[in-house]
């Protein structure tokens, strides 16, 4: 049984915007893990009013590019012996593959199913991603 | 120069200078280029029909002594049997030295470019890029105005959905002292990302709703069609429609050396009475389109 408050060894994905934890759970394919995973929604936080947290009871490798794409303000803490041994800070990845799908109905990816869905960071300051094929802006991103 | 020309911005300003200079040489002495592409084959892969563009490419290659093969619609191609763009171009690369392709979906040429080694020209991918149209426009301006900088260019009509307009704005933004006058109904103004490019770049641009108001300021007027169904309501359409139709009376307001351009085909946005005006450049544009495609093929095949 996973003790939510005192994880001995594992990964804590912290400062997730409220409501985004399930999106991250799916994007990181945490459902495929055998270890315990706890999703804590609407946790109280000092930094923001409310936040979501995901605790994973194993030292798995997290795809930081996917997390950075979803929200670069998320923090990833690596826990060992009940203590944070490493804090990973995220940045916007230059290129993401098959994380988000292009929603432009006129895009070549809408008719050719085998193509990878690739987005490129085209404006770092504004955090804007565009489809590598049709250059349509990725919409669900802030 | 890049070997895959997908977007007008795949060409540097130096590339464009070279292409325009080469076009000048071809125009002055076409015979000197009549055998430059002997033994070379251009494949025109048109997954959607565009007779005008396809003929322009084929005419360009034939004028260089080369030969052409290809298809002119998806129905007559392997795409009808469900073959991917990538597989089609990989196969065609075995039969041709250079490929020009048109496809109804945006980004199709990017997919193709990643799969082949031979030169590729995007002849239009949906409403996305069409670099040889932009080159045609630039050659027209270069030939008829003598320079690409320090010009006031008016773009009139559907500026929201008009691909040629967006590409031309982006291309002209690379030259000094270019002023943009954007004439459209409110519903069809340029998209925000182009407006922010103009603002970020510190460009001089004005937006107007009526052509009559700005006509005297223009060195170039680039007309595009405004479709009735693009208006949000009938009242606005009736109020504004005549503002987007170029006729003799509006031409009287223009400078004596202004030029009128249009990507063709036109419907009624330029009255036929303007055709005989020496400032009407839209039929000359088609001719320049052939020359600039000749120049591009020569450069990409490295036979210039
Ligand atoms: Zn796309």
């Amino acid at each position: 049984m996973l003790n939510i408050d005192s994880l001995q060894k594992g990964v804590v994905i912290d400062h997730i915007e409220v409501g985004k934890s399930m999106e991250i759970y799916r994007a990181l394919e945490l459902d495929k893990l055998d270890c315990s995973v706890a999703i804590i929604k609407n946790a109280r936080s000092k930094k923001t009013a409310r936040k979501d947290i995901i605790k994973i009871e194993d030292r798995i490798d997290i795809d930081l590019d996917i997390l950075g794409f979803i929200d670069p303000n998320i923090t990833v803490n690596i826990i060992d012996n009940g203590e944070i041994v490493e804090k990973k800070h995220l940045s916007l990845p230059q290129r993401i593959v098959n994380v988000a799908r292009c929603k432009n109905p006129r895009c070549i990816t809408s008719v050719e199913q085998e193509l990878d869905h690739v987005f490129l960071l085209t404006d770092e300051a504004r955090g804007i991603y565009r489809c590598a094929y049709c250059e349509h802006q990725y919409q669900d991103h802030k | 120069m890049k070997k895959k020309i997908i977007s007008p911005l795949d060409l540097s300003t130096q590339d464009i200078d070279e292409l325009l200079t080469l076009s000048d040489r071809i125009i002055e002495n076409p015979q000197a280029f009549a055998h430059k592409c002997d033994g070379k084959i251009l494949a025109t892969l048109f997954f959607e029909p565009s007779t005008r563009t396809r003929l322009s490419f084929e005419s360009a290659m034939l004028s260089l002594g080369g030969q052409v093969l290809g298809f002119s619609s998806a129905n007559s191609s392997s795409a009808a049997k469900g073959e991917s763009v990538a597989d089609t171009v990989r196969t065609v690369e075995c039969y041709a030295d250079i490929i020009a392709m048109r496809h109804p979906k945006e980004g199709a040429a990017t997919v193709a470019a990643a799969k082949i080694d031979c030169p590729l020209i995007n002849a239009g991918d949906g409403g996305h890029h069409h670099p040889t149209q932009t080159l045609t426009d630039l050659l027209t301006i270069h030939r008829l105005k003598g320079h690409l900088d320090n010009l006031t260019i008016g773009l009139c009509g559907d500026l929201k959905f008009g691909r040629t307009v967006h590409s031309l704005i982006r291309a002209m933004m690379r030259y000094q002292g270019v002023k943009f006058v954007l004439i459209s109904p409110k519903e069809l103004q340029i998209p925000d990302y182009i407006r922010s490019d103009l603002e970020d770049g510190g460009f001089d641009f004005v937006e107007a709703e009526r052509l009559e108001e700005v006509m005297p300021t223009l060195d170039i007027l680039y007309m595009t069609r405004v479709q009735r169904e693009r208006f949000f309501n009938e009242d606005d359409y009736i109020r504004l429609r005549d503002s987007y139709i170029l006729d003799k009376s509006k031409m009287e307001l223009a400078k004596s050396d202004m030029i009128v351009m249009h990507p063709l085909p036109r419907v009624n946005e330029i009255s036929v009475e303007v055709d005989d005006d020496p400032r009407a450049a839209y039929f000359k544009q088609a001719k320049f389109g052939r020359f600039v495609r000749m120049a591009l093929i020569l450069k990409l095949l490295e036979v210039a």
Side-chain angles (χ1 to χ4, degrees):
Chain A
M1 179 64 190
L2 173 65
N3 183 332
I4 291 171
D5 292 323
S6 59
L7 186 68
Q8 281 303 306
K9 185 179 180 184
V11 181
V12 176
I13 305 172
D14 203 354
H15 300 111
I16 301 169
E17 189 187 323
V18 166
K20 284 226 171 175
S21 50
M22 282 312 292
E23 181 187 342
I24 289 167
Y25 182 83
R26 280 189 294 266
L28 296 178
E29 301 184 325
L30 300 181
D31 55 322
K32 292 184 180 157
L33 296 177
D34 292 326
C35 65
S36 302
V37 177
I39 296 173
I40 302 152
K41 293 179 124 175
N42 298 316
R44 264 172 255 282
S45 158
K46 280 168 236 154
K47 228 164 127 183
T48 54
R50 295 274 178 166
K51 63 179 181 177
D52 286 2
I53 305 169
I54 297 176
K55 294 191 177 186
I56 305 160
E57 199 181 30
D58 195 3
R59 289 275 301 268
I60 62 158
D61 282 331
I62 298 283
D63 188 329
L64 299 177
D65 280 354
I66 294 180
L67 275 185
F69 174 71
I70 294 170
D71 184 355
N73 297 316
I74 289 169
T75 53
V76 177
N77 298 325
I78 310 295
I79 313 289
D80 210 352
N81 288 322
E83 288 178 21
I84 297 173
V85 292
E86 194 182 350
K87 257 186 191 296
K88 290 185 193 284
H89 290 279
L90 304 180
S91 56
L92 293 171
Q94 292 298 318
R95 186 172 186 272
I96 53 146
V97 180
N98 293 332
V99 175
R101 294 185 70 79
C102 182
K103 293 193 178 107
N104 175 9
R106 297 176 306 279
C107 180
I108 186 68
T109 57
S110 70
V111 289
E112 298 217 339
Q113 309 302 329
E114 76 285 5
L115 289 172
D116 285 335
H117 283 244
V118 182
F119 282 86
L120 305 173
L121 180 60
T122 55
D123 184 337
E124 197 152 3
R126 295 187 177 108
I128 291 173
Y129 283 86
R130 289 186 183 278
C131 172
Y133 308 103
C134 72
E135 297 177 271
H136 217 69
Q137 187 174 336
Y138 179 68
Q139 287 298 351
D140 290 346
H141 210 261
K142 51 182 172 178
Chain B
M1 192 188 288
K2 288 188 185 177
K3 289 284 162 220
K4 316 277 168 60
I5 308 301
I6 308 301
S7 138
L9 297 183
D10 285 330
L11 297 161
S12 67
T13 48
Q14 193 195 328
D15 293 335
I16 288 170
D17 279 352
E18 288 176 16
L19 286 168
L20 299 183
T21 308
L22 181 55
S23 303
D24 287 338
R25 286 171 49 210
I26 297 169
I27 292 166
E28 281 151 29
N29 187 7
Q31 270 308 311
F33 297 87
H35 296 286
K36 289 279 187 189
C37 288
D38 282 356
K40 302 277 187 193
I41 295 174
L42 165 76
T44 51
L45 309 186
F46 278 55
F47 295 86
E48 72 172 356
S50 173
T51 308
R52 188 181 300 274
T53 305
R54 186 171 54 84
L55 292 181
S56 180
F57 271 105
E58 296 188 354
S59 167
M61 190 55 168
L62 295 171
S63 306
L64 294 167
Q67 292 183 289
V68 296
L69 54 80
F71 52 83
S72 56
S73 77
N75 297 338
S76 60
S77 78
S78 51
K81 297 183 198 121
E83 190 180 45
S84 69
V85 167
D87 286 1
T88 304
V89 294
R90 263 185 188 153
T91 309
V92 170
E93 186 184 22
C94 305
Y95 309 142
D97 302 287
I98 180 168
I99 296 174
M101 78 169 254
R102 188 182 185 96
H103 195 285
K105 291 293 179 182
E106 300 173 11
T110 307
V111 172
K115 299 294 179 187
I116 55 172
D117 294 319
C118 84
L120 175 81
I121 304 168
N122 180 11
D125 58 339
H128 192 212
H129 292 308
H130 190 3
T132 54
Q133 175 67 54
T134 308
L135 281 173
T136 300
D137 295 340
L138 294 177
L139 180 61
T140 305
I141 296 170
H142 163 79
R143 293 291 297 181
L144 300 180
K145 302 304 292 182
H147 53 96
L148 296 174
D149 54 357
N150 298 308
L151 291 165
T152 297
I153 177 165
L155 300 122
C156 177
D158 180 353
L159 306 186
K160 186 175 184 181
F161 299 100
R163 163 187 65 191
T164 51
V165 164
H166 302 164
S167 297
L168 186 57
I169 292 174
R170 282 253 162 86
M172 292 299 285
M173 279 170 65
R174 297 155 119 193
Y175 298 94
Q176 289 290 318
V178 175
K179 223 181 125 171
F180 298 93
V181 180
L182 309 167
I183 311 126
S184 70
K186 289 230 159 28
E187 295 89 339
L188 298 176
Q189 287 180 342
I190 49 162
D192 289 340
Y193 67 93
I194 303 247
R195 188 178 291 107
S196 55
D197 279 358
L198 287 166
E199 283 166 356
D200 293 353
F203 283 90
D204 195 343
F205 73 101
V206 291
E207 299 190 75
E209 219 179 351
R210 288 181 181 276
L211 187 52
E212 301 91 315
E213 297 162 8
V214 295
M215 203 69 181
T217 66
L218 306 178
D219 297 314
I220 298 162
L221 173 60
Y222 199 97
M223 292 294 295
T224 63
R225 182 151 50 113
V226 175
Q227 287 160 288
R228 187 191 197 112
E229 55 272 24
R230 298 281 202 213
F231 278 89
F232 289 153
N233 65 68
E234 190 71 9
D235 288 349
D236 279 346
Y237 175 73
I238 292 165
R239 181 170 63 88
L240 291 167
R241 65 181 167 192
D242 292 341
S243 274
Y244 307 103
I245 293 176
L246 185 63
D247 56 18
K248 247 185 171 152
S249 66
K250 289 196 194 74
M251 286 300 284
E252 278 165 21
L253 303 170
K255 289 183 188 172
S256 60
D257 64 346
M258 186 198 71
I259 58 169
V260 182
M261 296 170 64
H262 188 294
L264 299 181
R266 66 147 165 212
V267 181
N268 62 347
E269 58 277 17
I270 301 177
S271 163
V272 287
E273 65 189 18
V274 179
D275 293 358
D276 294 329
D277 192 305
R279 294 169 289 184
Y282 32 95
F283 290 116
K284 291 177 199 155
Q285 251 172 290
K287 190 177 69 183
F288 293 135
R290 173 179 159 217
F291 291 124
V292 87
R293 286 181 178 95
M294 287 170 75
L296 185 59
I297 292 168
L298 287 170
K299 281 278 183 195
L300 291 174
L301 290 176
E302 298 177 347
V303 290

